[in-house]
Amino acid sequence: MLFSSNKPQWLYVALPALYLLAGIVAIVALRNPLGLASGCLLIAAAIAILGARHLGAQRHRESQASRHSSILAPPSRLAATTEFVRAIVPPKLGHKDIDRQHRSLASKAATLRVAFAHNDDQADLELLIHELIDALAHHLSAEIQAMGRLGVSRTDEDVEADRMQLAGAEHDFDLYRAGGMSLEALIERVAGPLVAGHLLRRHPPLPSMESLLQQLRDANAST
């Protein structure tokens, strides 16, 4: 076959030159329409082989470059976000709303860090920061109320530490807008001490639903 590579290596390499030479010889030696047609076919075959080899070599180089690029490429947004979330999300407390809010806060903090690492637009980053501070403020209030209904409370020191961090982050946001703090420093403050600091603080264990139901049954029985 004209284009088969299943030939001895020397013949495979020399094949275009052989076809080209045979084509020229056929044209010069026969000097008739058949010789001209045969010679042109052989020359066209040589050109086709060279073109196919060039295209194959180019595709191989592109494939190798793509593989090398994929190896060196930074982790995807999803992979990086997942790693950040895993690093700061606390164990489940057993309260559906609190656990959901903790997971959401960890996800928002991770999204902010990854967005900054990928050079997202400054306005988008500022919106993420604002939303994260608001979400943490809402969560702190909701968490205290939810735990109170279960007869559980966090230590005064932990609650005060969260409030101080929240006030500090809000102050730093205003400072950033006034040009007194860099965006990177603000993100580090909000995603770090504010959100991760709260999530990584020890939360008191919550009573199981079984124990709560038993308390309700005991209360009803005594009335």
Side-chain angles (χ1 to χ4, degrees):
M1 295 176 64
L2 289 180
F3 306 113
S4 175
S5 60
N6 298 322
K7 297 179 173 64
Q9 186 64 26
W10 68 268
L11 181 59
Y12 176 75
V13 173
L15 203 57
L18 293 176
Y19 283 147
L20 181 61
L21 179 61
I24 294 173
V25 170
I27 293 173
V28 173
L30 298 180
R31 296 179 182 274
N32 57 33
L34 178 61
L36 178 62
S38 299
C40 288
L41 285 174
L42 289 169
I43 293 172
I47 295 173
I49 292 173
L50 291 174
R53 289 183 182 176
H54 175 73
L55 180 60
Q58 181 178 359
R59 288 176 176 173
H60 178 71
R61 288 193 298 270
E62 291 174 351
S63 175
Q64 290 296 102
S66 175
R67 180 175 178 272
H68 181 69
S69 175
S70 65
I71 292 174
L72 298 181
S76 68
R77 282 179 178 257
L78 178 59
T81 302
T82 300
E83 287 302 312
F84 277 125
V85 171
R86 286 176 179 170
I88 64 174
V89 69
K92 290 185 177 181
L93 299 178
H95 189 286
K96 181 179 178 181
D97 289 338
I98 295 177
D99 289 334
R100 178 182 57 78
Q101 289 176 22
H102 280 175
R103 183 79 186 186
S104 177
L105 287 168
S107 179
K108 288 178 183 293
T111 299
L112 174 60
R113 286 189 179 276
V114 173
F116 178 75
H118 282 77
N119 298 313
D120 282 13
D121 186 80
Q122 180 176 338
D124 293 335
L125 293 171
E126 291 175 358
L127 180 60
L128 289 173
I129 294 171
H130 179 72
E131 290 177 346
L132 185 51
I133 293 176
D134 280 354
L136 194 280
H138 169 75
H139 167 70
L140 293 180
S141 176
E143 184 179 72
I144 292 173
Q145 293 176 14
M147 286 187 169
R149 289 193 293 269
L150 297 174
V152 178
S153 62
R154 299 178 62 212
T155 65
D156 293 340
E157 292 78 6
D158 284 348
V159 172
E160 184 61 22
D162 283 333
R163 287 174 175 168
M164 291 293 293
Q165 288 293 348
L166 180 60
E170 291 171 341
H171 173 269
D172 287 346
F173 200 3
D174 292 338
L175 185 64
Y176 158 75
R177 285 175 165 171
M181 174 179 272
S182 69
L183 180 60
E184 182 177 6
L186 177 61
I187 290 173
E188 187 63 34
R189 168 62 182 272
V190 172
L194 179 62
V195 176
H198 169 75
L199 296 178
L200 295 176
R201 286 193 186 95
R202 187 178 183 86
H203 285 66
L206 299 180
S208 65
M209 289 302 298
E210 290 77 7
S211 64
L212 290 175
L213 289 174
Q214 185 60 48
Q215 291 176 19
L216 288 174
R217 285 193 289 267
D218 293 342
N220 291 332
S222 63
T223 58

